Amino acid sequence: MTHARTDPSSKATPFARPAGPGNNDAELELIRRIRLRDRIALRELYVLYHRRLSRFLMRLTQRQDVTEEIINDTLLAVWNTAAQFRGDSRVSTWIVGIAYRRGLKSLRRRSFELVELGAGDDLAGADELQACETREWIEGALVTLPIEQRLCLELAYVLGHSCEEIAAITNCSVNTVKTRLFHARRKLSALLPRLAGIP
Amino acid sequence: MRAPHFNHERCWELIPWVVNGRASEPEQRDVLAHAADCSECREELARHHALHSQMRGDEDVIAAPNASWQKLLARIDAQPADSAAPRRIERPWLIAALWLQLVAIAVLAGALFRSAEQPAYTTLATTQPSDRRAAVRAVFAPGATLDEINQLLRQVGCDIVAGPSEAGVYTLAATDGDDVPGIIATLRKHPEVLFAERSQTASP
């Protein structure tokens, strides 16, 4: 059964807002302490976000040095501007938003070529070979997406953000996020039919 | 009960949020129920479950952040002291007190300015510091002419050094000599002089 689909930007349907990633109350307390120049609090936040952001940024840059640089830029901005954060959004939305802008700027400046996985890697067996092929296949499809569309997908699937949070992080409307995901998904469904069990 | 507006398009739109766990429980139930009957949504759901699983599979490649943390600390220490954003003043009453102080200063300055503009009130006993030679204070009759007054001043050897004040008081100073009692006595005898008295600034 095939149904006609329309661009989602034509309607604005609010999503429910279950709990987001991270413990916002605990992170707010860390931000309060950081305002008072508490480096131990910054260290706690750093460990927390290094894990989240490195997973997100490594997928985009494929370079650890660049990932580390963007993470440090982000946490330095958090240290310097913590007093201006009013808690209007979740802490994770604010921090990932800073990382998103710096990551996007870095990506555009350096014009990274995403590193494809080497076909000649030493593999232990057929299962690993198949896993690696699937991974390579998916990454190859994601690379073909425009960067804004890919970032929406990465923010949703790698960091677990909601549609509204992604809109805040990327500084655009909810409908723009929906539209970007709509086009990304249409392209991926054409490129990755086997993921849906289609031979 | 399924919401009446819930249809294929709505289900298809919600699939990423069902996959990443951000859809509400009713939305998840509706999507799963719809996907059971719709092959297109079922395939899309399967595709995005696989995509989600694959994209989140990199957790074990994260390096320990210690070295990077030390670099961040070095950057913070290298910043000028004022490079961090100014801290928000956390005592609103302090701002209110400063404003209050400013208003009080403005009011006092205004009052001082107004008092400076007011004309000085002079009484007969008021000291006239204009001239150390001032010896006599005198009031002439309203009908006295200028010639009569000049003639009288020449007679007693005085000049007008100040006046007339608002009360019509003139301050006279002797051009030579210091016989103030004699001058006053002469003035008092004259019909054009209503009042003559030693000035407070006159030499004793």
Side-chain angles (χ1 to χ4, degrees), chain B residues 1 35 72 93 122 129 133 175 185 187:
Chain B
M1 192 176 81
L72 176 62
W93 60 265
T122 307
R133 295 179 300 129
T175 52
L187 288 172

Side-chain angles (χ1 to χ4, degrees), chain B residues 120-202:
Chain B
Y121 182 70
T122 307
T123 66
L124 293 177
T126 302
T127 302
Q128 296 288 338
S130 57
D131 193 327
R132 291 298 302 169
R133 295 179 300 129
V136 178
R137 312 182 79 193
V139 177
F140 299 104
T145 64
L146 186 58
D147 285 339
E148 288 170 338
I149 292 172
N150 285 336
Q151 190 177 357
L152 179 60
L153 291 176
R154 279 195 294 274
Q155 180 186 343
V156 295
C158 287
D159 291 331
I160 295 174
V161 294
S165 69
E166 287 185 3
V169 180
Y170 288 87
T171 302
L172 312 179
T175 52
D176 55 279
D178 55 359
D179 183 17
V180 175
I183 294 171
I184 291 172
T186 305
L187 288 172
R188 283 176 178 172
K189 288 176 186 171
H190 211 281
E192 275 77 25
V193 176
L194 300 181
F195 171 86
E197 190 57 80
R198 174 187 285 272
S199 169
Q200 298 298 313
T201 60

Side-chain angles (χ1 to χ4, degrees), chain A residues 91-128:
Chain A
V91 173
S92 61
T93 305
W94 176 51
I95 295 178
V96 174
I98 298 171
Y100 169 85
R101 289 188 292 278
R102 289 173 189 268
L104 197 61
K105 190 175 171 183
S106 176
L107 284 173
R108 285 174 173 158
R109 189 176 64 236
R110 296 171 190 244
S111 302
F112 280 117
E113 293 294 333
L114 293 181
V115 179
E116 294 184 358
L117 292 174
D121 291 348
D122 292 333
L123 300 172
D127 287 347
E128 279 191 47

